[in-house]
Amino acid sequence: MQGNAPMPESSPTGQVADAPAGNWVDRYAPAIARPYLRLSRADRPIGTWLLLLPCWWGLTLAMLHDQAPRWEDVWIAFGCGIGAWLMRGAGCTWNDITDRHIDGSVARTRSRPIPSGQVSVAQAVIWMVTQALFALMILLSFNTAAITLGVVALLPVAIYPFAKRFTWWPQVFLGLAFNWGALLVWTAHSGSLGWPAVILYLAGICWTIFYDTIYAHQDKEDDALIGVKSTALLFGDDTARWLKYFLAGTVTLMALAVIAAMLPGASMLALVVALAGPGLMGWHMAWQLRGFDHMDNERMLRLFRSNRNTGLIPLIPLLLALLV
């Protein structure tokens, strides 16, 4: 899809325009559940991965820090998976409630459940609260400090949908919300927040600005017409240069987080293995930049979705470092 080519309208079955063809929601979910699962973006799982992966980074880094992995960490990792699915769903539902008038004016989003009439606002609110309550049940299984951080996380989640109305940098607010798990899960393992987790959180924010700027280029023409802001509009034709800065920030900050977590107690071999994580992540981000073409919407969507692999890559060396 090139340039201003229109996105398809909502199909008679209610499929969302930018959902992958043949996704499990459209093929297998009961018809009554499909609009709600679409509200939660269950037909587009990449967002759940992008919310989950910083949680797993934080957990792995915390285990490297104290060299004390325990069986409880298995539940933390599993609980994060369920919680990420639920909170991503609740956050997307909130986003669609607040953006319902904007979404109806944007080609890519007018087929979403609320603007297309599949779900009412009242039904969406009930669905959002239901998901959040189930996520709360998981959060309450963690320690008190982690629970407190989980409650505070609602603030950036609540603010994010409005950010594009008052700043050219809404991707920063998305980063604040999507990477909170790095702080929360470090604390769930360690019992208190540490500086390595904060540095890792900043690395995640840089990564979020990188991938969500790529994503935002799909909507830049519509966004400009209706008056909402994004880094894609701010950077324009200079986007590739800006993305290089956020690539460098991601890799540098993640490497600093690893060093801060592992020194002085780790062996040199373990440190080298762990530092391969941010290095390989940076290589994958550089690969995305080589394929970057902000005039090709289909390519932008493919590159954005490839960030699941970007976030998985550093986990492998980090986990291997635990064994060294």
Side-chain angles (χ1 to χ4, degrees):
M1 185 179 299
Q2 301 290 331
N4 296 324
M7 296 292 293
E9 299 289 341
S10 178
S11 74
T13 60
Q15 180 176 350
V16 177
D18 60 351
N23 67 80
W24 74 272
V25 172
D26 295 330
R27 294 181 65 184
Y28 303 117
I32 194 172
R34 287 175 190 166
Y36 298 98
L37 292 171
R38 289 167 183 149
L39 266 180
S40 299
R41 309 289 197 272
D43 52 352
R44 284 156 286 171
I46 178 61
T48 300
W49 280 107
L50 296 176
L51 186 60
L52 172 60
L53 288 166
C55 299
W56 284 352
W57 296 348
L59 177 60
T60 309
L61 204 63
M63 291 189 289
L64 282 169
H65 176 64
D66 62 15
Q67 288 294 306
R70 47 188 182 269
W71 284 110
E72 180 188 356
D73 295 325
V74 176
W75 162 246
I76 293 174
F78 182 71
C80 285
I82 303 171
W85 192 90
L86 289 166
M87 282 309 297
R88 189 257 182 146
C92 287
T93 305
W94 169 242
N95 184 81
D96 283 8
I97 292 168
T98 60
D99 281 359
R100 59 191 183 277
H101 302 302
I102 294 174
D103 285 347
S105 303
V106 177
R108 186 179 59 83
T109 58
R110 65 170 59 109
S111 58
R112 287 178 175 174
I114 296 177
S116 65
Q118 299 176 54
V119 174
S120 70
V121 174
Q123 289 170 323
V125 169
I126 293 170
W127 179 236
M128 176 185 68
V129 172
T130 300
Q131 294 172 97
L133 288 175
F134 276 104
L136 177 62
M137 293 171 61
I138 295 171
L139 179 64
L140 292 175
S141 71
F142 297 160
N143 58 49
T144 301
I147 293 170
T148 301
L149 280 172
V151 173
V152 175
L154 294 176
L155 182 61
V157 171
I159 293 174
Y160 165 67
F162 302 101
K164 57 183 168 286
R165 295 164 169 84
F166 63 80
T167 178
W168 290 104
W169 295 86
Q171 281 68 28
V172 173
F173 288 85
L174 182 66
L176 292 171
F178 257 55
N179 294 280
W180 198 269
L183 305 176
L184 191 155
V185 179
W186 170 288
T187 305
H189 171 88
S190 303
S192 61
L193 188 59
W195 278 110
V198 175
I199 301 170
L200 184 66
Y201 179 56
L202 296 175
I205 292 172
C206 288
W207 178 46
T208 300
I209 297 170
F210 178 92
Y211 66 64
D212 203 59
T213 299
I214 292 173
Y215 185 78
H217 268 286
Q218 299 173 89
D219 298 333
K220 59 183 181 292
E221 289 87 2
D222 287 327
D223 287 349
L225 286 172
I226 62 181
V228 297
K229 301 174 174 67
S230 73
T231 48
L233 285 171
L234 178 65
F235 301 158
D237 293 338
D238 209 22
T239 294
R241 180 174 67 87
W242 278 93
L243 292 182
K244 290 177 184 177
Y245 299 150
F246 293 110
L247 185 164
T250 302
V251 173
T252 301
L253 288 165
M254 183 177 283
L256 289 174
V258 169
I259 293 169
M262 297 183 67
L263 291 182
S267 70
M268 184 56 65
L269 177 58
L271 183 61
V272 169
V273 170
L275 286 173
L280 291 170
M281 183 178 182
W283 171 85
H284 195 270
M285 293 170 74
W287 168 82
Q288 292 183 58
L289 276 181
R290 287 195 294 273
F292 181 83
D293 179 359
H294 68 85
M295 298 302 294
D296 186 338
N297 284 354
E298 287 187 354
R299 178 174 292 187
M300 293 298 92
L301 184 57
R302 287 197 302 271
L303 289 177
F304 166 73
R305 288 175 176 164
S306 75
N307 278 277
R308 181 201 64 175
N309 293 340
T310 309
L312 282 169
I313 284 171
L315 273 174
I316 298 171
L318 291 174
L319 288 169
L320 288 174
L322 281 169
L323 306 175
V324 175

